[in-house]
Amino acid sequence: MDDRVDRAEAPDKAGVIAPPPLIALAALVLAAGLEWLWPIGVLAQIGLGVRLLVAAALASAGLLVAVAGERRFARLGTDPLPWRPSTALVTDGIYAHMRNPMYVGLGLLMLGLAIGFASVWLLILLVPAALVLHHGVVRREERYLERKFGEAYRAFVARVPRYGWPRRSAGG
């Protein structure tokens, strides 16, 4: 592939389907509405103290991971917002362990909220929200970053898993 041709023809942005916080907010609002219409009280059976402890741990871990990712972007002076151009490829710090810490953090935060608020609907909606995020944001960002940074990005993909867990196939 000739990176120069692809870079010249494509706009300097990932073309994500929606801002990731908006995807999360849509899941939260929809879950709240479904909880109001058809509450499922299964998680409420778990003691409040246990639920809040687990929720706080997950939400705190999510915030730490997301902030660590955002700070690496700030350190290199590149915008973390995926609908704006990237000016640097961030590969160190938390990015040496996962390529998408801000999205992993968002997922952990939402999981913590689901458990804390005993929302089975939010647990259910995490799956479609994660799929929209993966296909509508992450995969588009990956194509954009490969176009923009070429071999440096391909080498990064080869050594660092997308979401931090070991992958079974290339590019995972």
Side-chain angles (χ1 to χ4, degrees):
M1 168 166 62
D2 185 354
D3 292 330
R4 291 171 301 195
V5 171
D6 289 339
R7 289 179 199 165
E9 293 174 5
D12 190 17
K13 59 184 178 178
V16 298
I17 195 168
L22 189 59
I23 295 167
L25 181 62
L28 289 168
V29 168
L30 186 55
L34 289 168
E35 288 292 343
W36 183 72
L37 291 171
W38 299 289
I40 302 173
V42 174
L43 287 177
Q45 313 248 338
I46 300 170
L48 180 62
V50 171
R51 241 186 27 248
L52 292 179
L53 184 64
V54 171
L58 288 167
S60 296
L63 288 171
L64 287 171
V65 169
V67 168
E70 194 280 329
R71 285 190 175 169
R72 297 318 280 184
F73 270 63
R75 185 182 60 78
L76 289 180
T78 192
D79 200 321
L81 301 177
W83 55 91
R84 295 188 179 156
S86 293
T87 58
L89 181 60
V90 183
T91 61
D92 64 342
I94 195 160
Y95 288 92
H97 306 285
M98 66 179 74
R99 297 194 315 257
N100 294 286
M102 288 183 262
Y103 303 143
V104 170
L106 181 61
L108 287 171
L109 176 61
M110 289 181 64
L111 180 59
L113 290 172
I115 291 170
F117 286 105
S119 175
V120 173
W121 284 112
L122 184 53
L123 283 177
I124 292 168
L125 290 172
L126 282 174
V127 174
L131 290 171
V132 169
L133 187 69
H134 177 75
H135 293 286
V137 177
V138 172
R139 297 300 300 244
R140 291 172 185 217
E141 283 184 320
E142 289 174 342
R143 288 189 294 272
Y144 164 67
L145 293 170
E146 184 172 3
R147 262 192 335 264
K148 179 142 187 166
F149 296 107
E151 188 52 43
Y153 182 73
R154 287 188 286 277
F156 177 54
V157 167
R159 75 177 181 276
V160 178
R162 182 180 283 133
Y163 299 115
W165 54 74
R167 60 178 156 235
R168 289 181 224 168
S169 62

